[in-house]
Amino acid sequence: MRFLFSILLFLAPAAAFCDSVSWTHGLWFDGTRFVPGTRYTVDGIFTDRRPLVVDRTVDLGERHVIPAFGDAHHHGIDGAQALEDKIAAFLEAGIFYVKNPNVIPELLTPDVRRKLNQPDTIDATFANGGLTATGGHPAPLHAYLASIGVFPGLKPEDLENRAYYLVDDEAALDAKWPAILEGHPDFIKTFLLFSEEFEKRRDIAGMHKGLDPKLLPAIVAKAHASGLRVSTHVDTAADFRFAVDAGVDEINHLPQPDPRFSADLSAYVIDPMTARRAAQKGIVVVTTAGTTERLSGNGLPAAWLPAMHANQRANIRTLLAAGVRMAIGSDGISGERTFATARDEVRFIARHGLATNLEILRMWSMETPRTIFPHRRIGRLEPGYEGNFLVLGGNPIEDLGNLERIGLRVKRGLVLPPMAGPIVLKRG
């Protein structure tokens, strides 16, 4: 067998980048199929021609090569606690890029940041605290997480203007905007939850709610004027419509059918016209389809699950048929019993037949990296793109399990050390 695992001894990431590498006998994913051939990287970037000098040749043994994965919605990179273990869990799964849409910036200490965005670690982006209404999500969730020690040194009452900003009108938005920008977020996170009932829910304590949807266009305008993209959490199809109308850049979550908040499944159905408008505006939708079921424990009735899965399947079909770009996100959090990643989300999507193997592969390896780092040339195995890829043990279009049979992880042309897996992190 020509696949040379021994090259790991020679290509360990001791230097920032290797020089010129010839990657021979690979089967390279082009977005539709696998094409045999040789590719070259120079200083970690794919080039369209053979370099004059080739420093190393790596025989890929006719293995399948795909772009590295991302997790477009994960809260786990949130501080120093177990950071190395979390990085290892992501890398073992082939996840090189992670997007945290709600983090307390002061927990991202200089030491934490030095361990990220390095040649041999994961690359991460952060939204800092999200924007919601008084009493709205995620304030109650963050209060609970603080109470169980997820945010060391912080109590529930310490989290306003750290983990979230309460914005009830445009005056509050104007007043808090300088502080929001002062934290240097990579993007802005906003929350819509049952926004079609916002007025009814506004003054009721404990109700599932988020921003006044009328404020979202003003937030988008401010963010875009500051060069920042906007991601919006949605629960219902009405939230989805409000987000599309407001011109957000990314929608986090498919509508999330949950009988604890509304047993009317029609509230969660995305209509084709809204899907087409989302595609026309270039809005990316991050799946997180497994979130409701995974985080509810045994809180969802068994009879509800088939209808929920059918709704999710129909929404994904509607979005893809309209040409909407879709990315994979897990909504993993540090306080979970088992540390979840986008690999768990992919397993959920596949288990319930929500998308085909090819669609999942495109979402995870191509669209997910692009929405995490929209200004970087990643997610493709083409000239000018970063040499970030995975070498698999078989064709994932034929058998999706091959996405977990990773023989080689390459970041910017550097072969990362071999990893035993899967890595499972548990709390308690």
Side-chain angles (χ1 to χ4, degrees), residues 289-346:
T291 297
T292 300
E293 193 168 338
R294 191 183 80 243
L295 295 181
S296 69
N298 296 319
L300 297 179
W304 171 264
L305 297 181
M308 181 181 83
H309 299 151
N311 170 271
Q312 293 170 323
R313 191 177 305 113
N315 280 337
I316 289 177
R317 296 262 59 83
T318 295
L319 293 169
L320 291 176
V324 174
R325 292 172 52 201
M326 296 196 67
I328 300 293
S330 63
D331 202 11
I333 59 176
S334 292
E336 287 189 72
R337 180 68 61 186
T338 300
F339 189 75
T341 72
R343 173 182 281 176
D344 298 277
E345 175 70 2
V346 164

Side-chain angles (χ1 to χ4, degrees), residues 68 109 113 173 207 227 238 247 264 279 319 326:
T109 63
R113 290 188 179 273
L173 176 62
M207 285 294 284
D264 178 9
L319 293 169
M326 296 196 67

Side-chain angles (χ1 to χ4, degrees), residues 38-59:
T38 295
R39 303 286 169 96
Y40 304 96
T41 56
V42 176
D43 289 337
I45 304 295
F46 282 111
T47 181
D48 59 355
R49 63 188 66 185
R50 179 186 175 90
L52 292 176
V53 176
V54 173
D55 299 303
R56 296 174 178 84
T57 296
V58 180
D59 190 328

Side-chain angles (χ1 to χ4, degrees), residues 264-281:
D264 178 9
L265 267 174
S266 67
Y268 306 104
V269 177
I270 298 172
D271 67 275
M273 183 178 297
T274 301
R276 287 192 293 271
R277 288 193 294 114
Q280 291 163 1
K281 293 185 176 188

Side-chain angles (χ1 to χ4, degrees), residues 118-138:
Q118 301 296 325
D120 58 347
T121 68
I122 60 169
D123 299 341
T125 59
F126 302 95
N128 299 344
L131 280 60
T132 190
T134 297
H137 181 77

Side-chain angles (χ1 to χ4, degrees), residues 8-71:
L8 295 168
L9 298 175
F10 303 101
L11 293 180
F17 302 114
C18 53
D19 296 326
S20 303
V21 184
S22 172
W23 309 89
T24 65
H25 300 108
L27 301 175
W28 303 85
F29 183 57
D30 69 358
T32 303
R33 59 196 177 97
F34 287 90
V35 180
T38 295
R39 303 286 169 96
Y40 304 96
T41 56
V42 176
D43 289 337
I45 304 295
F46 282 111
T47 181
D48 59 355
R49 63 188 66 185
R50 179 186 175 90
L52 292 176
V53 176
V54 173
D55 299 303
R56 296 174 178 84
T57 296
V58 180
D59 190 328
L60 298 176
E62 298 180 358
R63 298 300 180 101
H64 294 77
V65 187
I66 62 173
F69 304 136
D71 193 325

